[in-house]
Amino acid sequence: MMHWWWWNGGPPVPWFGMILAPLMMIAFVVIVILIVAYLLRAFGPRSRTSAPEKSPLDILKERFARGEIDRVEYEDRKRLLSTL
């Protein structure tokens, strides 16, 4: 036979237990979330930083260096880009 002695004049339950228990549950959930966030950030996929974007003039210089465009076209486009 089970006796619920705390209901019938047993020792009083401390009042701080009713406040501390929910706070401890909330703290536990927050700690778990922080640990998961840390692990995802530390071991998750890395974001790749792309190379800085090239300016149109840099691209034009590269095309001229590779021989894709001749000197006249290079100078014409360079003049056009300098007016923008």
Side-chain angles (χ1 to χ4, degrees):
M1 180 164 143
M2 295 179 69
H3 294 284
W4 302 102
W5 53 271
W6 56 86
W7 285 357
N8 293 326
V13 176
W15 63 269
F16 59 85
M18 294 187 329
I19 296 172
L20 188 62
L23 291 178
M24 292 300 290
M25 286 189 286
I26 292 170
F28 177 75
V29 170
V30 168
I31 290 171
V32 168
I33 290 172
L34 290 175
I35 290 172
V36 169
Y38 171 76
L39 292 175
L40 286 175
R41 182 172 278 185
F43 301 109
R46 307 273 180 187
S47 64
R48 297 183 182 185
T49 56
S50 61
E53 291 188 26
K54 298 178 184 177
S55 69
L57 188 57
D58 291 336
I59 295 170
L60 184 64
K61 288 177 184 178
E62 289 177 4
R63 290 187 64 198
F64 180 64
R66 287 192 299 258
E68 294 178 5
I69 56 176
D70 62 353
R71 184 174 156 233
V72 175
E73 188 176 357
Y74 169 76
E75 290 175 358
D76 184 43
R77 291 183 183 204
K78 182 179 175 185
R79 189 171 2 101
L80 179 65
L81 286 173
S82 66
T83 61
L84 297 177

